[in-house]
Amino acid sequence: MGGLTKVEIDFATSHLIFPTLIGIILLILGVVLLIIRRREVLGAGTMWRDTFERMDKLRFFGTLLLTVLYFVLMVPVGELWPNTGMGFLLCSIPFVALTGILFTHDRRLSKLVPMLIVAVIAPLLTWWLLSEIFVLTLP
Amino acid sequence: MDVFELITPLFVALVFGGTFVGLIFGAIPGMTATMAVAVCLPLTYSLGLENGLALLLGLYVGGISGGLVPAVLLGIPGTPSSIATCFDAYPMAQRGEGEKALRISIIASLGGGMLSLIALYFFAPLLADFAIQFSYVEKFLIILFALTVMGALSSNLLLGIFSGFLGIFLSLVGVYDVTDGGNGHFRLVPPGTEYWLESGFSLLPVLIALFGVSAILEEAETGMPQSMSVREIKVGKSSRFSLSIFKGQIRNLLQSSAIGTFVGILPGVGGSAASILSYTAAKTTSRNPEEYGKGSAEGIIATEAGNNALTGGALVPLLSLGIPGDSTTALLVGAFALQGIQVGPLFIGNNPGTWNSMMIAMILANIAMFVMMYFAIRWFAMVVAVPKHILYPVILMMCVIGAYTINYGIMFDVWTVLIFGVLGWIFVKLKIEVAPFIIGFILGPSAEIYFVKSLESFGDVTIFLTKSWIALILWLLITASLVASAVLARRAKQLEALAQPGV
């Protein structure tokens, strides 16, 4: 009986012991959840369809698209002026401005101007604080 | 280190600045204390541990307290911790007594925060002294206990535990570190991604994503609802506030603070539970329970004392066991990691200066919160109207730069923010709880080390049961938390069925 509980750890495969165990537990929990919540699982398609129907697609996907563009451009722009943090600064200003415009409901100039001022000042201030005062690496 | 050496002008300025920013984050619905800490985390990198913690603890106290402003004035909890504040403070504000409700909330918050600090000061070192005796076996069981408690207190036991284990699973991605006694081999890494995933997903970008980016995506999904207009916010002054309201409320204050502190000590439970439990207990023991829900000062005192007492309580397991008490203290683990310090049973003994500075920062943060809110409450009320279309793009930018600077400029960390931001949004849709997930993610690597080393040392799985009486007690606690949760869930279902019309 005592032999059943004995475990010998092989150093070469020790990296797989815990992930395998957690994977098995997750699988068991997943199956139990599937059985208990089968009605919700079967209705998942409807839930996602409703979510996408109700969602503000322009703002949601617009945010994702702008974020991806922001990340993609930051490094190449930064490489034009290495070690200056210009990639961050020059990409953040349009990113903050465009995301702000995307989020705004009332796009009259009087409403946009304060937001555009923030879009210039906030990245400038952050860039100055992080790169000049705290001497942190920026893209 | 002399305690007074710690209180430099910079230290005090950081506590006050942090509290101020935290109050703003807490006061704007949709933004939380956790988000405030996540966004400001990279600033602590160059500040050093004590000063960095001063800023973060200020943000923490301010963020939890700021939630009361929209709860009182709009009936919308600024943070989840203020959920029960709406029950009585909002009806009071609707009667034109907004200022009175705000002042009661602020004083109760100060009381709750300070009382929980006393518990923290005496309880954390005691628990740490006890925890020093723990071997790998007990340490592993403590983590298991933390996960089951989190699961048990989630809205659904199974989903809560599933979320915790999912967090552990994703924390294991990358190399089994040689410095932790591992063999240096990759696991759970798709082919071709070894370069980026050698160290797995970094903790801080994951935290920033789950608490910052996913919240913004949720708001974007609903079309970024417009903020209130300043003209719509009425503080009201028809009934003057007097300290005599607190006469006869000492028991309520102490009871609620004790509940809030206790809930804070339980890993992953959070402020909403602290506030609701304090409110329910105060109502049950009140002489005027019929007043609750109609603008009762007692109700406001209970909820605000309860949720602010959480702040001290949540630091107890973090500083004595290395287990975060809530999602905000989970971020503090990241702050310690940035400075190369591991929190756990040895932390207080090895870092008395940092421990003292944390206590001082917490006391100062509570005082700062009180001074700022009590004397400038009309200004803070206006914070509710700060437009989100201005704030959220700046926060997104801060999330990105925070993730980039944390590991000396790794672009993969920035992409991690986007990946986990979207994942966090999906989690909400699938009802996967973020708090257990994140605590699982933080504790996963330690759990692995303790588990594998226990087996390597003893070579028998029964060691987890037979190692010591502490191990046995931990198993009893694990079982009790699971059974209690199942019983409570069944009772809640029965009550729900009885409440159905026609039953």
Side-chain angles (χ1 to χ4, degrees):
Chain A
M1 182 66 192
L4 280 175
T5 58
K6 292 264 183 276
V7 178
E8 212 165 292
I9 304 284
D10 178 7
F11 184 69
T13 55
S14 61
H15 63 296
L16 296 174
I17 296 170
F18 202 63
T20 311
L21 181 72
I22 299 295
I24 292 169
I25 293 172
L26 270 178
L27 201 70
I28 294 168
L29 285 171
V31 171
V32 175
L33 278 169
L34 275 179
I35 295 167
I36 293 177
R37 309 195 125 202
R38 57 190 176 278
R39 219 175 285 167
E40 284 170 64
V41 175
L42 289 172
T46 320
M47 185 275 285
W48 283 113
R49 213 169 21 251
D50 287 350
T51 301
F52 284 108
E53 263 171 32
R54 273 198 300 262
M55 131 189 309
D56 186 325
K57 292 183 191 64
L58 177 72
R59 290 196 170 84
F60 185 79
F61 291 110
T63 309
L64 286 178
L65 181 71
L66 284 171
T67 311
V68 170
L69 278 175
Y70 179 40
F71 292 178
V72 168
L73 291 173
M74 217 186 306
V75 173
V77 173
E79 279 167 2
L80 297 175
W81 298 275
N83 306 319
T84 56
M86 280 296 146
F88 164 72
L89 182 63
L90 297 178
C91 292
S92 293
I93 293 172
F95 172 73
V96 175
L98 290 172
T99 319
I101 292 169
L102 184 73
F103 290 167
T104 311
H105 286 264
D106 183 354
R107 296 202 178 106
R108 276 176 298 170
L109 196 65
S110 60
K111 297 276 176 188
L112 287 180
V113 168
M115 191 269 295
L116 292 172
I117 293 171
V118 171
V120 176
I121 291 174
L124 256 173
L125 193 68
T126 312
W127 171 80
W128 174 75
L129 199 67
L130 294 180
S131 69
E132 301 299 308
I133 305 296
F134 294 139
V135 206
L136 293 177
T137 312
L138 296 178
Chain B
M1 190 191 290
D2 189 343
V3 170
F4 293 102
E5 273 178 37
L6 301 164
I7 315 172
T8 60
L10 177 66
F11 184 87
V12 177
L14 286 168
V15 175
F16 273 71
T19 311
F20 178 76
V21 176
L23 284 170
I24 292 173
F25 268 76
I28 297 170
M31 292 165 74
T32 58
T34 318
M35 201 191 224
V37 176
V39 169
C40 296
L41 206 54
L43 297 178
T44 63
Y45 185 75
S46 328
L47 287 173
L49 186 61
E50 279 85 14
N51 286 334
L53 285 170
L55 176 72
L56 297 180
L57 293 171
L59 287 163
Y60 183 29
V61 173
I64 296 283
S65 310
L68 68 88
V69 178
V72 173
L73 298 176
L74 308 175
I76 303 166
T79 60
S81 338
S82 311
I83 202 153
T85 309
C86 305
F87 301 164
D88 280 292
Y90 186 55
M92 193 182 266
Q94 280 182 312
R95 292 198 305 246
E97 298 174 337
E99 187 167 327
K100 182 176 156 186
L102 285 166
R103 289 196 197 280
I104 294 170
S105 308
I106 295 161
I107 294 175
S109 296
L110 179 72
M114 288 299 197
L115 286 168
S116 79
L117 282 183
I118 296 171
L120 171 68
Y121 189 72
F122 289 107
F123 202 54
L126 270 180
L127 195 59
D129 284 345
F130 179 61
I132 285 172
Q133 303 167 30
F134 289 7
S135 70
Y136 289 130
V137 173
E138 286 92 0
K139 283 178 183 171
F140 173 73
L141 291 177
I142 276 279
I143 292 178
L144 195 62
F145 176 54
L147 284 171
T148 51
V149 170
M150 274 182 311
L153 292 158
S154 300
S155 57
N156 180 289
L157 172 70
L158 269 178
L159 261 178
I161 294 178
F162 182 83
S163 312
F165 277 99
L166 188 63
I168 296 182
F169 193 71
L170 287 179
S171 75
L172 302 176
V173 169
V175 160
Y176 187 28
D177 211 334
V178 181
T179 52
D180 293 329
N183 58 11
H185 289 199
F186 278 97
R187 68 272 174 89
L188 309 175
V189 176
T193 57
E194 290 86 352
Y195 175 76
W196 296 287
L197 286 174
E198 188 180 340
S199 310
F201 296 107
S202 299
L203 172 65
L204 292 171
V206 171
L207 293 172
I208 289 171
L210 290 175
F211 295 112
V213 177
S214 69
I216 294 175
L217 285 178
E218 274 175 62
E219 291 273 337
E221 182 202 340
T222 53
M224 200 58 66
Q226 292 196 72
S227 309
M228 299 285 294
S229 154
V230 178
R231 264 169 274 150
E232 289 174 68
I233 298 158
K234 293 182 181 72
V235 176
K237 223 179 175 177
S238 70
S239 172
R240 282 193 68 79
F241 166 78
S242 155
L243 269 178
S244 62
I245 292 168
F246 281 84
K247 211 170 155 187
Q249 291 302 315
I250 299 300
R251 188 192 54 80
N252 180 13
L253 193 71
L254 288 173
Q255 174 183 287
S256 305
S257 304
I259 292 172
T261 307
F262 177 71
V263 171
I265 292 172
L266 295 174
V269 184
S272 49
S275 128
I276 288 172
L277 283 174
S278 307
Y279 184 80
T280 314
K283 190 177 175 183
T284 315
T285 54
S286 169
R287 283 183 196 160
N288 309 304
E290 71 286 351
E291 296 287 317
Y292 279 66
K294 296 173 192 163
S296 156
E298 272 183 44
I300 304 174
I301 292 167
T303 59
E304 277 306 314
N307 70 26
N308 268 67
L310 178 98
T311 53
L315 287 169
V316 173
L318 177 74
L319 299 176
S320 53
L321 303 172
I323 293 173
D326 66 357
S327 43
T328 320
T329 43
L331 284 157
L332 294 181
V333 175
F336 283 105
L338 269 180
Q339 307 288 340
I341 287 183
Q342 200 185 357
V343 271
L346 295 172
F347 172 76
I348 295 174
N350 288 351
N351 304 279
T354 310
W355 162 244
N356 285 331
S357 76
M358 287 181 80
M359 290 304 300
I360 292 166
M362 289 288 281
I363 294 168
L364 282 177
N366 275 286
I367 294 169
M369 176 274 296
F370 176 76
V371 171
M372 285 180 205
M373 290 188 85
Y374 197 86
F375 296 106
I377 194 62
R378 286 183 166 266
W379 292 102
F380 267 104
M382 302 303 164
V383 169
V384 175
V386 173
K388 287 179 185 170
H389 68 265
I390 293 182
L391 277 177
Y392 279 175
V394 176
I395 289 171
L396 265 177
M397 177 194 76
M398 292 295 289
C399 288
V400 169
I401 208 61
Y404 186 82
T405 49
I406 272 158
N407 282 328
Y408 310 99
I410 294 174
M411 206 53 200
F412 180 71
D413 287 341
V414 176
W415 288 103
T416 302
V417 165
L418 186 63
I419 295 166
F420 276 84
V422 175
L423 206 59
W425 176 77
I426 295 171
F427 280 0
V428 174
K429 298 286 155 211
L430 299 180
K431 294 179 185 144
I432 291 177
E433 306 231 4
V434 173
F437 174 87
I438 209 68
I439 295 184
F441 191 86
I442 290 171
L443 299 178
S446 304
E448 176 176 37
I449 295 165
Y450 300 148
F451 181 79
V452 176
K453 281 201 188 294
S454 299
L455 288 181
E456 275 174 349
S457 307
F458 299 99
D460 198 316
V461 286
T462 53
I463 196 66
F464 292 107
L465 273 169
T466 56
K467 172 75 177 59
S468 63
W469 60 270
I470 301 171
L472 264 179
I473 288 175
L474 284 167
W475 275 113
L476 284 175
L477 288 171
I478 290 167
T479 316
S481 72
L482 292 173
V483 171
S485 165
V487 170
L488 286 174
R490 177 168 285 193
R491 198 170 291 170
K493 219 173 226 178
Q494 283 169 347
L495 285 173
E496 210 173 277
L498 282 173
Q500 297 278 330
V503 177

